Amino acid sequence: MTMLNPGQRIRTVGGKEHVIDRPIGTGAQAEVYLLQGGKCVYKAFINRNELARVRWLMERRLPADLPMCLPTDMVSASDHGGYITSFVDGMPLAEFLDIPGLTYGDTARAAYALMLSLSLIHRYAAHGDVREENVIVKAWRDSSREWVIEQMTFIDCDNYAAEGAPPPMYLGDNMVMAPELRTSKDPRHVSRAADVYACAQICHRMLLRHDDSSFATTSEEFDEAMRRGVWHSDTFNPRRRDTGLDGHGLPAEVLDSLTSSLFRGAFNVDPALHSTASQ
């Protein structure tokens, strides 16, 4: 794929013309450009085979108010191809979680908003690439200095999975990858259950301020721990670690019984037994 330059014009399949403002992101799958006017972005794929999946998703005409950046038009030029979608104002979830002074109440509200947004998306499809960088948070502080979460929007929806759709092409983020994906290495196992597992891992870090990789100190130990499909921090686990390896974080005892039971379900090795996003 050819790198696009600021000022370069692109024309969509729908006949609209846009002008590249500047690149704002790059990865293994695509390059992302802000378009002039600041309201839209262009995601240009490295692998043009993904255009068939974009076309399928657009033909479904999903509700425009879903908390997910859906493609609104396609580009299929001789040297690049991808889709146009809305630019989402806010900060990545990873950046929000690094704000100094966040309270347990702040992160609990954020975790609820995250799972609520995912439950709305799951009415139609699995997102397929849940990670902190792929969630944009729109939030503000009220008069009591508490964070109010106005919206959680999932971006980078092109690894979605849905009944009847062409299969996904990627596994997702290794840090939050479900055991069935970690073991099979098969993107066809991308699913709503795998989304819930990934979101639960993120919520674990949000609420307890450490991941759930048990005593893992190497990448191999981490991978082995995450394959097991158990909640390592469970209060019923006599070998649990109450904090992260750096000594920071909270023990699982701070969670109420309902949240604890949902973590047990979300981390289950059997995807058929995972908690759902709506739960």
Side-chain angles (χ1 to χ4, degrees), residues 209-267:
R209 309 306 286 179
H210 61 91
D211 64 33
D212 188 49
S213 58
S214 187
F215 296 93
T217 57
T218 67
S219 59
E220 292 78 14
E221 289 175 351
F222 177 84
D223 188 66
E224 177 59 29
M226 304 305 261
R227 285 174 187 268
R228 294 176 195 154
V230 298
W231 181 26
H232 296 287
S233 302
D234 196 334
T235 54
F236 294 154
N237 178 8
R239 298 185 66 251
R240 72 183 184 275
R241 181 180 288 276
D242 288 338
T243 67
L245 290 174
D246 60 0
H248 295 105
L250 298 171
E253 279 84 356
V254 304
L255 304 173
D256 60 41
S257 58
L258 176 58
T259 304
S260 294
S261 68
L262 292 175
F263 273 129
R264 291 185 191 105
F267 292 155

Side-chain angles (χ1 to χ4, degrees), residues 70-89:
L70 295 168
T72 58
D73 208 340
M74 290 176 55
V75 175
S76 185
S78 60
D79 56 349
H80 61 89
Y83 66 89
I84 308 295
T85 190
S86 300
F87 175 76
V88 180
D89 190 28

Side-chain angles (χ1 to χ4, degrees), residues 67-147:
M68 178 167 73
C69 275
L70 295 168
T72 58
D73 208 340
M74 290 176 55
V75 175
S76 185
S78 60
D79 56 349
H80 61 89
Y83 66 89
I84 308 295
T85 190
S86 300
F87 175 76
V88 180
D89 190 28
M91 70 182 88
L93 178 57
E95 183 179 327
F96 174 79
L97 295 178
D98 282 339
I99 293 175
L102 285 180
T103 67
Y104 183 86
D106 292 330
T107 56
R109 286 188 294 276
Y112 174 81
L114 179 68
M115 297 306 291
L116 176 60
S117 290
L118 187 66
S119 71
L120 296 174
I121 294 168
H122 277 185
R123 294 177 181 177
Y124 304 94
H127 180 272
D129 193 14
V130 172
R131 62 179 80 195
E132 292 174 8
E133 295 78 11
N134 281 351
V135 179
I136 302 298
V137 182
K138 189 173 184 181
W140 47 276
R141 269 183 167 147
D142 64 14
S143 58
S144 64
R145 303 297 291 168
E146 290 186 338
W147 282 93

Side-chain angles (χ1 to χ4, degrees), residues 12-197:
T12 70
V13 172
K16 294 182 179 180
E17 188 173 85
H18 296 276
V19 180
I20 300 293
D21 183 79
R22 66 181 188 277
I24 57 173
T26 185
Q29 304 175 31
E31 294 170 349
V32 183
Y33 300 88
L34 182 67
L35 301 177
Q36 285 188 7
K39 295 183 178 181
C40 296
V41 299
Y42 171 44
K43 185 167 186 177
F45 290 127
I46 305 297
N47 184 351
R48 291 173 61 93
N49 291 335
E50 297 198 51
L51 290 176
R53 287 175 40 80
V54 173
R55 184 177 296 108
W56 189 95
L57 190 59
M58 290 183 63
E59 289 172 351
R60 302 286 79 76
R61 299 185 182 278
L62 301 185
D65 60 353
L66 273 184
M68 178 167 73
C69 275
L70 295 168
T72 58
D73 208 340
M74 290 176 55
V75 175
S76 185
S78 60
D79 56 349
H80 61 89
Y83 66 89
I84 308 295
T85 190
S86 300
F87 175 76
V88 180
D89 190 28
M91 70 182 88
L93 178 57
E95 183 179 327
F96 174 79
L97 295 178
D98 282 339
I99 293 175
L102 285 180
T103 67
Y104 183 86
D106 292 330
T107 56
R109 286 188 294 276
Y112 174 81
L114 179 68
M115 297 306 291
L116 176 60
S117 290
L118 187 66
S119 71
L120 296 174
I121 294 168
H122 277 185
R123 294 177 181 177
Y124 304 94
H127 180 272
D129 193 14
V130 172
R131 62 179 80 195
E132 292 174 8
E133 295 78 11
N134 281 351
V135 179
I136 302 298
V137 182
K138 189 173 184 181
W140 47 276
R141 269 183 167 147
D142 64 14
S143 58
S144 64
R145 303 297 291 168
E146 290 186 338
W147 282 93
V148 177
I149 310 300
E150 184 174 332
Q151 181 69 58
M152 289 268 194
T153 304
F154 284 76
I155 61 173
D156 287 350
C157 67
D158 35 276
N159 203 53
Y160 72 90
E163 295 77 8
M169 301 177 68
Y170 305 97
L171 293 170
D173 182 17
N174 181 64
M175 293 299 295
V176 294
M177 189 182 297
E180 62 272 18
L181 289 170
R182 197 175 292 277
T183 300
S184 70
K185 307 294 186 186
D186 187 348
R188 289 176 298 180
H189 289 149
V190 168
S191 66
R192 291 171 175 84
D195 276 0
V196 169
Y197 179 92

